[in-house]
Amino acid sequence: MAYEPAIGIERLGTVKEIAEAASVGVATVHRVLNGQPKVSSSTSRAVLDAIRKINERKISLARWRHDS
């Protein structure tokens, strides 16, 4: 788990998983995570939404495995 200061949240998924979920390239995910200005707001939003969804899924799976 990596804390991403640029977005203020933990990142549980890999950059490749995030890129696939957001339908963008790996370099675009890196740009968003590093807070570079060359990314449109809609693309940034898609990447951040993908991170949140991946985080929720992985946390849910971990909780389910821990409770079992």
Side-chain angles (χ1 to χ4, degrees), residues 1-5 8 11 15 23 26-27 31-32 36-37 40-41 45 47 50-51 53 64 67-68:
M1 182 169 21
Y3 180 73
E4 297 292 347
R11 177 178 51 84
V15 172
S23 300
V26 172
R31 286 186 197 102
V32 172
Q36 294 180 357
S40 72
S41 60
R45 198 172 315 114
V47 170
I51 292 170
K53 288 177 185 175
W64 178 78
D67 290 343
S68 295

Side-chain angles (χ1 to χ4, degrees), residues 39-61:
V39 182
S40 72
S41 60
S42 61
T43 301
S44 291
R45 198 172 315 114
V47 170
L48 296 176
D49 287 344
I51 292 170
R52 285 186 191 96
K53 288 177 185 175
I54 290 169
N55 284 356
E56 288 172 3
R57 187 179 75 238
K58 289 194 176 202
I59 290 169
S60 176
L61 285 172

